[in-house]
Amino acid sequence: MAAGRKLPQVLSLAAILITGLFGTISPVLAQDVSLNYESLSSLEEPLAVEVGDVTLVLTGLLDAPVNFDLEGDQATDADFIGNVQFSARTQLPNRWRIALTYFGQYVSDRAFVSGPDNQYTDNIAFSVGSYWGTVLVGNISGVVREQTRRLRGAGNAMLAFDNVLGGLEDDGGGYFVRFGPWVFSGMMDEDENFDFGAMYQRPTGTRDYRLTARFTDSEHVSADGTQKFSTTALSGVGEMIYGSTMWDIGAGYEYLDSDNLNVQRWYVSTGMRTKTGVLTFSIEGHYGQIESGHEASAALGIQYDLARGLSANLGLNYAESRVTRSDTRITNTKAKQASFSLRYSF
């Protein structure tokens, strides 16, 4: 692993050298960074106000869902879900742009989601950006994932397993830079796990294409908590938008290694999302294997716009993966869920 740990420093040095060679680099703006790694995100334009030389930007979402467990025929009311992202941005005399960004989410009931009830989570990050790119520090573990992931489903659709199992610790540092249609990003956490991503996006004729690639070196704890794996993963996404319809496909390979157990995982996810008038619809599917065990999920989502920022949302979600190797329960998920909610975004 020692040689692998040197890779982030080598790539960071290469990025700096490349930045110096090209004078036409377009920066990745510090204010474009999102710290919302949750399943719900606002699609509305943010609220912004100028206070002296500082721009204050606010986005938020309020959701009141009712979830139905189709496995047990029991209904659970999730009283309230709310998230908010706030940033303060300014430009220094040397044209460096700095931003302080905060995201918080409160969930009053963790129905169908692991974790305690009445949970509040938050992320905070500081970024500095200029022609040489953007440097970030803080709770940025999911930033590369957000740049390279498939688009979220409509309504209350939540496709399970559509990510690598390994993950970074919350705290770390990272770097972004843009070369024309390309965006390159790299993150390292406090335990020297790292995440690298590349995204290409450009319209061609009447279609818009987006391609991403991601390399992750991180850790994963088995579902039963008995094994801690070092994981190495490579994943990518291809996306095409034509009019108001989007198709995409994602795939990944992951190698999980512990002292007494080695496991290989691969997966493929695909989906379609379209909007017609006030109605947005999405359908997604996923299949993967962990050695000879399988994982499967599907999600259907519908969003009906009632007014600006206000919508009614429906989701039908299925997920199943129960894989055991050498008496270690690697995954343990089985769920069928229907979810309806009223949501307001601002």
Side-chain angles (χ1 to χ4, degrees), residues 2 15 17 41 61 90 93 113 123 135 177 190 209 226 235-236 244 256 278 309 311 342:
L17 292 175
S41 63
L61 178 148
T90 191
V113 180
N123 300 311
V135 174
V177 67
E190 54 191 340
Y209 295 94
T226 62
S235 58
S244 57
L256 298 90
V278 298
S311 63
L342 291 176

Side-chain angles (χ1 to χ4, degrees), residues 274-308:
T274 188
K275 183 175 178 62
T276 302
V278 298
L279 189 67
T280 304
F281 169 84
S282 71
I283 185 168
E284 306 167 89
H286 171 100
Y287 181 80
Q289 285 193 341
I290 303 176
E291 296 296 332
S292 58
H294 79 278
E295 57 184 37
S297 63
L300 183 149
I302 299 174
Q303 176 179 312
Y304 185 84
D305 299 327
L306 300 172
R308 179 175 175 83

Side-chain angles (χ1 to χ4, degrees), residues 141-159:
S141 61
V143 169
V144 174
R145 154 73 170 162
E146 289 302 311
Q147 286 260 328
T148 58
R149 64 171 292 162
R150 293 180 55 253
L151 185 67
R152 291 175 175 87
N156 288 327
M158 299 179 190
L159 188 67

Side-chain angles (χ1 to χ4, degrees), residues 291-337:
E291 296 296 332
S292 58
H294 79 278
E295 57 184 37
S297 63
L300 183 149
I302 299 174
Q303 176 179 312
Y304 185 84
D305 299 327
L306 300 172
R308 179 175 175 83
L310 181 65
S311 63
N313 299 271
L314 175 67
L316 300 175
N317 303 300
Y318 162 79
E320 183 174 4
S321 180
R322 291 181 170 177
V323 179
T324 300
R325 291 293 175 271
S326 301
D327 298 324
T328 298
R329 177 72 79 173
I330 299 173
T331 59
N332 186 25
T333 300
K334 186 176 182 181
K336 294 179 182 178
Q337 173 205 31

Side-chain angles (χ1 to χ4, degrees), residues 40-63:
L40 301 181
S41 63
S42 175
L43 300 177
E44 296 298 315
E45 290 294 323
L47 305 175
V49 62
E50 296 280 349
V51 179
D53 294 331
V54 179
T55 302
L56 305 179
V57 180
L58 177 70
T59 60
L61 178 148
L62 305 175
D63 196 55

